[in-house]
Amino acid sequence: MMSSNEPTVGAAVITIDGRELGKVKEVSDGWFKIDARLRRDYWLPSDLIETSSAMTVQLSFASERLADLKSSQPGTPAGSDS
């Protein structure tokens, strides 16, 4: 059984308010990379995942918080891309 904080590569990533951010591109040591269509890819910590399945990753935050939470590298402080 998959833990709720282990996303599947290729799964759609959706915020709590229903905005699709992209797809899981890579998973690395408590972080996952978002393949953001027509934007630069970025990383989020896995502890922001509310639920996860093979098809979707539901995040625990609303889309307006994304800029404060995303990172250009796994393990770097949230909001480092701002």
Side-chain angles (χ1 to χ4, degrees):
M1 184 169 161
M2 181 181 293
S3 167
S4 66
N5 64 353
E6 294 177 4
T8 302
V9 172
V13 180
I14 303 168
T15 59
I16 197 95
D17 58 344
R19 179 175 168 211
E20 185 171 340
L21 301 179
K23 301 210 180 284
V24 177
K25 184 174 186 176
E26 188 178 339
V27 179
S28 177
D29 196 26
W31 290 77
F32 63 104
K33 190 173 195 174
I34 306 288
D35 182 4
R37 195 175 341 153
L38 304 175
R39 293 184 309 273
R40 183 181 296 196
D41 295 347
Y42 55 88
W43 292 85
L44 289 172
S46 295
D47 62 0
L48 295 175
I49 297 173
E50 185 75 24
T51 61
S52 180
S53 72
M55 299 298 292
T56 61
V57 174
Q58 176 73 54
L59 300 174
S60 62
F61 64 89
S63 58
E64 67 265 6
R65 292 193 54 218
L66 179 61
D68 295 329
L69 299 170
K70 69 182 182 176
S71 178
S72 60
Q73 297 288 325
T76 60
S80 65
D81 285 355
S82 305

